[in-house]
Amino acid sequence: MHELGIVFHIIRSVEEVGRANQVRHIRAVALELGEVSGVVEEYLQDCWKWAAARSAMLDGAQLKVRTIPARTVCEACGEVYPTVQYGRQCPACKSEQTHLVQGNEMMIQEIEVDPESEAVPAADE
Amino acid sequence: MDEVKVLQVKQSVFAANDRQADQLRAQLKKKGIFLLNLMSSPGSGKTTTLKRTIEMLGGEFRIGVMEADIDSDVDARAIAVTGAKAIQLHTGGMCHLDAEMTRQGLEGLDADDVELAILENVGNLVCPAEFDTGAVKNAMILSVPEGHDKPLKYPLMFSVCDVVLVNKMDVMPYFDFDFDQCRAYVQMRNPNAVVIPICARTGEGMGPWIEWLRSQILAWRADDFATEKVEV
């Protein structure tokens, strides 16, 4: 149920942005998900469908997921290699002094607003 | 075709929770409440360790405990026997607590006269590690039967912990548990984590843990700048 908790947090953040921009309905949310973020996209989509349907602002909204490949850098030799394939040990020099440079992201990138649903003109801007 | 308006967000899924956690820490600082987040797998001995901790520190600090579980109130009942304030939080199926749920729990605990609040998080090595609860320090318990390789399997949990208690040291002869290897694995993931072997059932090794916790509480009280970075 780990994905459901994450979906609740996404919805809370997106609704906050929506309210701040006088948005009534959102048609899609774009999310960047790292390959080793620990989130299973299939489960995330299932939870999303269930939870979005319970939000007036997000009912029927699509969750667009872009996967970010995981890359690890070796502190000993500087090699940058694919994390999923080689894990924590550098394939070039066998050092275990390595760290992840990308691949654990969970970023809400952007929100697509339903054009017809835009409320009265925003006060500012 | 109608034009779609796009709002740029570029915000981590955890950003809102992290902000709420920072605010909660700042509020707790003002009230002088030290919040400890205790995490582990189910069955590692969190409640037994807590009971021992209350026995040993209850005379020095007023202690309140929040027991988070998916269901039942057995843990809150077990803690209430010790005389400490205790409240059971039900997560309604959720596998972790976040900062907002913790804030509500503290309200329910009526924590204003509490000096040491302990959150017993849901038994789980994955999700609780991702969500900052607003705690001042994170502790986790790894019990001997779980095996010394857990830091390799659940790296995030070990990287967010300030202290790792290795519990059930009394059953070590019956398991292939290598304590030194375990400590080395923890330090690979988190060089700053303190590793303390304990046996909550017999009380063995509890001294260094109590000493660590006491020193953290006193240091936090003394440091006026610890949480000043956040405006509430």
Side-chain angles (χ1 to χ4, degrees):
Chain A
M1 295 315 280
H2 156 76
E3 280 75 10
L4 185 59
I6 287 163
V7 160
F8 284 148
H9 280 271
I10 297 172
I11 288 181
R12 210 184 289 171
S13 298
V14 167
E15 285 181 338
E16 212 171 276
V17 174
R19 275 194 299 273
N21 289 277
Q22 280 88 29
V23 168
R24 270 200 214 127
H25 192 255
I26 286 165
R27 69 157 64 162
V29 174
L31 183 78
E32 274 187 1
L33 201 59
E35 202 181 1
V36 295
S37 62
V39 168
V40 180
E41 191 194 331
E42 200 187 329
Y43 296 161
L44 191 73
Q45 292 288 6
D46 283 345
C47 294
W48 173 262
K49 281 189 198 99
W50 182 86
R54 280 153 185 78
S55 155
M57 201 189 285
L58 286 158
D59 187 13
Q62 194 191 350
L63 182 66
K64 295 178 175 174
V65 175
R66 188 166 82 91
T67 306
I68 308 291
R71 297 267 180 272
T72 294
V73 64
C74 173
E75 286 162 21
C77 74
E79 175 88 358
V80 178
Y81 62 88
T83 311
V84 173
Q85 193 177 350
Y86 298 106
R88 287 179 188 267
Q89 195 177 32
C90 173
C93 76
K94 306 296 172 205
S95 166
E96 290 193 358
Q97 297 299 313
T98 59
H99 70 262
L100 192 71
V101 280
Q102 64 168 59
N104 61 354
E105 299 81 1
M106 260 187 244
M107 290 280 289
I108 304 167
Q109 281 297 334
E110 54 185 44
I111 295 169
E112 289 177 23
V113 178
D114 231 334
E116 282 155 28
S117 82
E118 263 193 275
V120 280
D124 42 21
E125 280 184 284
Chain B
M1 222 181 93
D2 45 25
E3 280 217 355
V4 177
K5 184 179 166 191
V6 174
L7 299 175
Q8 297 294 325
V9 183
K10 299 200 186 305
Q11 174 183 305
S12 159
V13 170
F14 302 112
N17 184 63
D18 289 348
R19 205 166 51 232
Q20 285 167 344
D22 283 340
Q23 287 169 352
L24 182 59
R25 255 188 300 278
Q27 287 162 2
L28 291 173
K29 176 76 182 171
K30 277 188 190 156
K31 293 179 180 168
I33 304 169
F34 182 97
L35 176 62
L36 179 79
N37 176 27
L38 182 61
M39 300 177 281
S40 83
S41 314
S44 64
K46 282 193 295 297
T47 309
T48 309
T49 305
L50 270 184
K51 284 169 74 174
R52 280 275 177 196
T53 305
I54 294 165
E55 255 172 54
M56 295 171 77
L57 268 182
E60 281 172 67
F61 304 106
R62 282 187 299 275
I63 301 177
V65 176
M66 294 177 283
E67 291 286 345
D69 281 298
I70 286 172
D71 203 353
S72 97
D73 63 351
V74 289
D75 280 355
R77 283 170 191 272
I79 295 296
V81 172
T82 64
K85 240 179 177 181
I87 184 176
Q88 182 79 46
L89 310 178
H90 282 165
T91 59
M94 296 279 275
C95 51
H96 64 274
L97 281 193
D98 60 23
E100 174 57 21
M101 293 190 255
T102 307
R103 192 193 60 73
Q104 290 172 12
L106 285 162
E107 241 176 55
L109 187 66
D110 193 12
D112 282 1
D113 64 338
V114 165
E115 294 164 301
L116 167 60
I118 303 173
L119 171 63
E120 188 181 322
N121 215 315
V122 182
N124 178 342
L125 292 184
V126 184
C127 319
E130 292 177 331
F131 291 90
D132 189 342
T133 58
V136 182
K137 292 288 166 184
N138 289 320
M140 77 90 56
I141 302 177
L142 171 65
S143 63
V144 165
E146 293 170 66
H148 59 250
D149 55 0
K150 284 293 172 290
L152 300 183
K153 294 183 177 178
Y154 300 91
L156 184 63
M157 172 57 71
F158 290 86
S159 67
V160 301
C161 274
D162 300 291
V163 61
V164 176
L165 301 176
V166 179
N167 191 23
K168 307 188 188 180
M169 288 298 282
D170 56 334
V171 298
M172 192 114 105
Y174 306 100
F175 292 89
D176 293 326
F177 189 97
D178 183 333
F179 181 77
D180 292 333
Q181 188 65 67
C182 178
R183 189 200 297 266
Y185 285 155
V186 171
Q187 272 154 8
M188 267 168 74
R189 300 294 166 248
N190 181 357
N192 301 318
V194 176
V195 182
I196 304 173
I198 63 166
C199 176
R201 192 178 65 83
T202 62
E204 202 184 332
M206 288 294 285
W209 153 238
I210 295 297
E211 187 44 52
W212 182 89
L213 184 54
R214 181 191 292 119
S215 68
Q216 296 298 321
I217 298 171
L218 297 178
W220 181 74
R221 283 182 176 182
D223 179 10
D224 285 335
F225 302 100
T227 54
E228 292 303 302
K229 57 187 179 203
V230 181
E231 294 290 319
V232 183

